[in-house]
Amino acid sequence: MTCPVAAPGRPERMHAAVAPEWTRLAARRRVVLAAGLALLALCLVLDVATGPAMLSPSAVAASLLGLAPDPMVDAIVWSIRLPVALMALLVGAALGLTGAVMQTILNNPMASSYTLGVSAGAGFGAALVIVFGAALPLAEAQAVPIAAFVFAAIACAGVWALGGIRGATPEPLVLAGIALMFLFQALLALLQFMASPEALQQIVFWLFGSLQRATWPKLGIVAGVLAATVPLLMRDAWGLTALRLGDDRAAALGVKVRGLRLRGFLFVSVATGVAVAFVGTIGFVGLVAPHLARMLLGEDQRVLLPGAALAGAVLLSAASVASKTVSPGALFPIGIVTALVGVPFFAWLILASRRAHW
Amino acid sequence: MRLEIEDVSIRYGTTRAVDGVSLSAAGGEVLALLGPNGSGKSSLLRAVAGLQAHGGRIRREGAGEVGFLPQDNGARAALTVLETVLLGRMRALGLRVPQAEVARAMAALERLGIQGLAGRMLAELSGGQRQMVFLAQLLAAEPAALLLDEPTSALDLRNQFELLALLRDLARRQGLLVVVAIHDLNAAARFADRIAVLQAGRLITAGAPASVLTPALLADVYGLRAEVVTGSAGHPFVMPLEALPRAVSARG
């Protein structure tokens, strides 16, 4: 006897064709993400090719893919330039992600680790070790990243504690972040005022940001931290999307708003901390990358978060190439390049856009 | 679903927004909350939705989710209408969205006759369209109770009528409990089974529209001299005539 009931397992078959609006949206996103990945690969190859000894992009691509072994090219690519180029991608991705998360949980287009004091906290931590580090049992090369990481976390905790007095809603948190940015900048200025000329020079160099400190082990730490935290963040993607409709609507949809915001803050703290610890403070990428991704992909965080990471990686990688080509032979500090190139780009892209995206 | 509100009070600092309100409602009925601005309607709805700390007890009996439509806050998210409605299904969604869930979201839009908006950006909509989209989001979640805070405030006359008729249908046909805070007395009289009137946080009266909406109540609560006539469909119809002097209408 045959069973008249439809076969289980594929309930979607029972529905009419998926809404064309949904199919179009998904197709558009695939194209944008694929174009972003292609741009990322291009930036990576150019970044590795650029330097005191210029390599051809084809030689770099061959070495990266292991196609034509040339010991000299391989040595430059794998030992010297690739860690730096990959660090640009990872740090850019981390900054893009933290910016996107902050803008979402604080419901504010100006939010980023840089504008809300987390980077300033890290900078203060680094400067503290540079000025007083002689008293520590650790070597300065290890102590500076650790202090930067710890103080990024302290800044985040400070923002949460201060903003939490009025219920951890966006406005008090943003105000607390701005207040802490000024506090840490003042403390940093005080340290710079007290520092010896050598220490002052070191602080200033650290604050400019530099990818040149990248090594394979450091790269492994940044990659490991992101690999451990990003999947947790992605589990909150729907909640973060709902949060953009306002706290009340999100709560009515079943989102535990305070917990979500706290988890977002923890991610920002850890990801900013580990990114800034090894390369110093790099502004603007965290602010502009999420806007770029939001314009191109919309605000479904399942797509926006990877998009912001991709945009951040491309921006920092491109800035890395620019920092090596602005004045050949010399290395322009990357933190300066991101702002110098980023501000006009930001103005053109976001402020001149006719279609409001925030 | 059955809802029991027992002696609920809500304070903001030293202000009592809701003061010892007790009220009950059951699935299948539309309960309208009326009252002047600041009378505590929104606070009470938020408390029932679980979004507002309160004194007293609020009990929900029976299975199912409670859907809440807050007052329009002009959400600016860069989301399409379809994505916004899909959020109503977020409890059932992972990183991949099954086609069946997309179909459910589209069905909610179709139910309100706004499937043509599916691909539009939320920020491009008028206030009224946005309100309808959020209602679709609520329906997509298939709740057992609906709490709506002034859902018709941004809607044109026809959409107001259709929306309230839909709410009444959901109550009658699917047994939903619908609680709606609303300013339009005549719409409340036309579509609600019961009306509860709040003033300065207190429940003044609750009951069938014809027994609640009297000239004396309108003078007392709204400070209006009004005529109440019975419309052709048998519902009371309120016609405000003049505002009474403030001192006369002020209570307590």
Side-chain angles (χ1 to χ4, degrees):
Chain A
M1 197 178 124
T2 54
C3 176
V5 179
R10 295 294 299 269
E12 65 265 37
R13 287 244 173 115
M14 290 155 62
H15 293 267
V18 171
E21 291 85 355
W22 185 255
T23 321
R24 270 201 298 274
L25 195 65
R28 185 187 141 86
R29 285 171 174 168
R30 272 196 291 275
V31 169
V32 171
L33 287 175
L37 281 172
L39 204 56
L40 186 78
L42 179 69
C43 283
L44 178 68
V45 170
L46 285 179
D47 197 7
V48 174
T50 314
M54 290 297 283
L55 304 173
S56 75
S58 59
V60 171
S63 174
L64 287 177
L65 298 171
L67 294 178
D70 174 337
M72 222 238 331
V73 172
D74 280 353
I76 295 176
V77 169
W78 288 91
S79 308
I80 303 170
R81 295 202 190 151
L82 193 57
V84 175
L86 288 177
M87 191 61 115
L89 299 188
L90 284 184
V91 167
L95 294 176
L97 275 173
T98 55
V101 172
M102 275 195 133
Q103 287 171 12
T104 299
I105 61 178
L106 298 177
N107 192 25
N108 193 309
M110 289 175 291
S112 76
S113 313
Y114 202 80
T115 47
L116 295 182
V118 185
S119 297
F124 172 70
L128 207 57
V129 169
I130 292 170
V131 175
F132 298 113
L136 290 172
L138 270 175
E140 196 174 287
Q142 278 112 45
V144 168
I146 291 172
F149 182 87
V150 168
F151 273 84
I154 289 174
C156 269
V159 173
W160 185 258
L162 264 182
I165 296 171
R166 267 183 43 202
T169 49
E171 286 80 10
L173 287 169
V174 169
L175 291 174
I178 291 172
L180 278 180
M181 182 190 70
F182 281 112
L183 174 71
F184 280 117
Q185 280 184 347
L187 291 172
L188 185 60
L190 182 68
L191 280 179
Q192 287 175 306
F193 181 71
M194 292 162 56
S196 65
E198 296 76 28
L200 179 62
Q201 199 181 10
Q202 252 186 295
I203 294 173
V204 170
F205 184 71
W206 193 91
L207 292 176
F208 280 155
S210 169
L211 295 164
Q212 302 304 315
R213 298 162 213 156
T215 59
W216 284 108
K218 288 179 185 173
L219 205 57
I221 294 174
V222 180
V225 168
L226 289 180
T229 52
V230 171
L232 295 175
L233 180 69
M234 290 308 292
R235 279 168 52 179
D236 277 327
W238 281 108
L240 289 167
T241 309
L243 202 57
R244 283 291 289 126
L245 300 177
D247 284 17
D248 266 6
R249 286 196 202 283
L253 288 168
V255 177
K256 302 273 181 279
V257 171
R258 194 184 160 86
L260 177 66
R261 220 169 242 137
L262 180 59
R263 289 195 296 281
F265 251 87
L266 286 174
F267 173 78
V268 167
S269 168
V270 172
T272 307
V274 76
V276 169
F278 293 125
V279 301
T281 49
I282 293 175
F284 225 72
V285 173
L287 182 68
V288 77
H291 283 287
L292 195 59
R294 198 177 288 113
M295 285 183 83
L296 294 170
L297 295 163
E299 217 148 1
D300 178 343
Q301 306 264 337
R302 298 173 306 135
V303 188
L304 175 66
L305 291 173
L310 191 55
V314 169
L315 285 176
L316 198 56
S317 190
S320 170
V321 176
S323 74
K324 289 185 275 187
T325 44
V326 170
S327 58
L331 187 71
F332 219 66
I334 192 156
I336 297 177
V337 176
T338 54
L340 282 184
V341 180
V343 172
F345 177 66
F346 187 67
W348 167 71
L349 186 80
I350 314 268
L351 301 176
S353 164
R354 266 178 295 171
R355 188 170 173 178
H357 70 287
W358 182 277
Chain B
M1 180 179 284
R2 189 172 169 76
L3 178 68
E4 295 282 352
I5 300 170
E6 291 169 19
D7 195 26
V8 164
S9 294
I10 298 166
R11 281 170 171 278
Y12 300 116
T14 54
T15 313
R16 266 182 193 274
V18 176
D19 192 358
V21 170
S22 295
L23 199 55
S24 67
E29 77 169 326
V30 177
L31 172 67
L33 295 180
L34 297 183
N37 293 326
S39 57
K41 305 185 295 291
S42 295
S43 297
L44 187 61
L45 274 185
R46 285 172 47 83
V48 175
L51 305 180
Q52 173 68 55
H54 58 85
R57 286 197 344 150
I58 295 176
R59 281 188 302 160
R60 298 178 192 163
E61 291 163 11
E65 301 286 345
V66 173
F68 174 54
L69 185 76
Q71 281 183 41
D72 185 32
N73 60 358
R76 299 168 300 175
L79 292 169
T80 66
V81 165
L82 184 55
E83 287 174 304
T84 307
V85 176
L86 204 51
L87 275 171
R89 304 289 315 158
M90 65 174 278
R91 287 184 179 90
L93 295 174
L95 285 180
R96 289 190 69 85
V97 176
Q99 298 183 358
E101 296 295 346
V102 179
R104 274 208 177 93
M106 278 307 286
L109 284 168
E110 277 161 23
R111 188 156 197 182
L112 295 174
I114 52 170
Q115 65 274 24
L117 297 179
R120 296 269 300 277
M121 297 302 289
L122 198 55
E124 297 169 359
L125 304 182
S126 72
Q129 288 173 322
R130 202 165 48 230
Q131 194 74 331
M132 297 289 274
V133 169
F134 282 117
L135 187 69
Q137 183 189 67
L138 217 58
L139 296 182
E142 295 168 3
L146 286 175
L147 312 170
L148 308 106
D149 197 355
E150 296 185 28
T152 54
S153 57
L155 301 185
D156 63 43
L157 208 51
R158 184 192 168 96
N159 275 320
Q160 284 185 29
F161 186 92
E162 287 189 346
L163 179 114
L164 291 168
L166 173 78
L167 294 178
R168 194 188 48 193
D169 271 10
L170 288 169
R172 297 270 158 82
R173 299 210 182 135
Q174 295 179 24
L176 262 73
L177 164 61
V178 178
V179 184
V180 52
I182 191 165
H183 274 303
D184 186 335
L185 304 181
N186 292 322
R190 172 84 174 74
F191 290 101
D193 299 301
R194 280 196 307 143
I195 287 176
V197 181
L198 295 174
Q199 185 186 36
R202 290 174 178 275
L203 180 68
I204 301 299
T205 178
S211 65
V212 169
L213 293 177
T214 60
L217 178 110
L218 294 164
D220 193 19
V221 173
Y222 288 95
L224 278 177
R225 194 165 74 79
E227 209 172 293
V228 181
V229 296
T230 304
S232 54
H235 307 288
F237 186 84
V238 175
M239 242 186 319
L241 299 174
E242 64 173 336
L244 297 168
R246 293 264 173 200
V248 176
S249 65
R251 282 172 64 92

